[in-house]
Amino acid sequence: EDADITFQLHQTLWPELQKNQGLQTLYEDIEMPLLPVLSRMERYGVLIDAESLNRQSAELSKRMMEIEQAAHHLAGETFNIASPRQIQTILFDKLGLPVLARTPKNQFSTAEFVLQELALDYELPGLILEHRGLSKLRTTYTAKLPQQIDRKTGRVHTSYHQAVTAT
């Protein structure tokens, strides 16, 4: 069934692709040659340096702690820098920063675009943004990838979907 649907899609889409030389060139010269490369990467895995990632993870954790301490100093109290609710209280209730947007529940927004705008004039939102970015790097990559190493191959095996994400 998958092969049949794929063939039907090909019969429908290929004539459309041929109408646009630029898209056809992209497909034939870039997309199709990339398939065997991605296939090999999936099959053989990707070698990563777990020790280096662990060191980077520790460095990120250290920097995150420094940011938290600086944020607590600016706020005049300790708070959970990862808590949108506590950030709302500190930024808008305690420090009186301007409210630039609200959530669907009519609460003060601490979304990235709001913090970026506030960071132009205030230091604390910039620290919160930096902390969020470092936390994302640490939890997604430096702390997580070493755990994904296959014990047999010593590599990370993943799936690549070239039509889904631009990398």
Side-chain angles (χ1 to χ4, degrees), residues 2 11 34 37 41 48 58 70 73 89 91 103 105 109 112 118 123 125 130 153 159 166:
D2 286 345
Q11 287 181 309
L34 184 59
V37 174
M41 288 173 66
I48 64 169
H73 176 74
T89 301
L91 293 182
T103 68
K105 293 184 180 182
S109 175
E112 184 173 351
L118 289 171
E123 187 177 356
E130 184 180 358
T153 65
S159 297

Side-chain angles (χ1 to χ4, degrees), residues 7-147:
F7 181 65
Q8 289 179 45
L9 282 169
H10 172 75
Q11 287 181 309
T12 301
L13 296 176
W14 182 248
E16 293 298 315
L17 189 63
Q18 288 179 312
K19 292 178 186 175
N20 185 322
Q21 185 60 43
L23 289 179
Q24 184 176 349
T25 300
L26 173 68
Y27 175 75
E28 291 175 340
D29 295 346
I30 296 174
E31 298 294 340
M32 290 306 292
L34 184 59
L35 283 174
V37 174
L38 294 178
S39 176
R40 282 192 308 276
M41 288 173 66
E42 288 180 3
R43 189 174 335 111
Y44 296 116
V46 178
L47 187 61
I48 64 169
D49 185 343
E51 288 182 30
S52 177
L53 287 174
N54 288 330
R55 279 192 307 274
Q56 289 176 351
S57 186
E59 290 170 13
L60 290 173
S61 292
K62 180 181 174 191
R63 177 64 185 140
M64 289 167 60
M65 289 298 294
E66 292 169 355
I67 291 169
E68 284 183 48
Q69 290 173 352
H72 296 162
H73 176 74
L74 287 172
E77 65 181 83
T78 61
F79 66 98
N80 181 352
I81 198 166
S83 167
R85 182 69 198 119
Q86 290 184 33
I87 292 171
Q88 288 171 355
T89 301
I90 296 293
L91 293 182
F92 305 113
D93 295 337
K94 182 174 182 187
L95 300 178
L97 272 58
V99 175
L100 303 179
R102 293 183 177 265
T103 68
K105 293 184 180 182
N106 205 32
Q107 296 178 343
F108 304 144
S109 175
T110 61
E112 184 173 351
F113 76 94
V114 171
L115 294 178
Q116 286 175 341
E117 186 68 27
L118 289 171
L120 297 173
D121 297 314
Y122 305 96
E123 187 177 356
L124 184 54
L127 290 174
I128 294 167
L129 284 170
E130 184 180 358
H131 188 276
R132 284 182 181 178
L134 295 176
S135 177
K136 177 73 171 173
L137 283 174
R138 188 180 166 282
T139 59
T140 304
Y141 301 106
T142 63
K144 185 70 91 178
L145 279 175
Q147 298 171 6

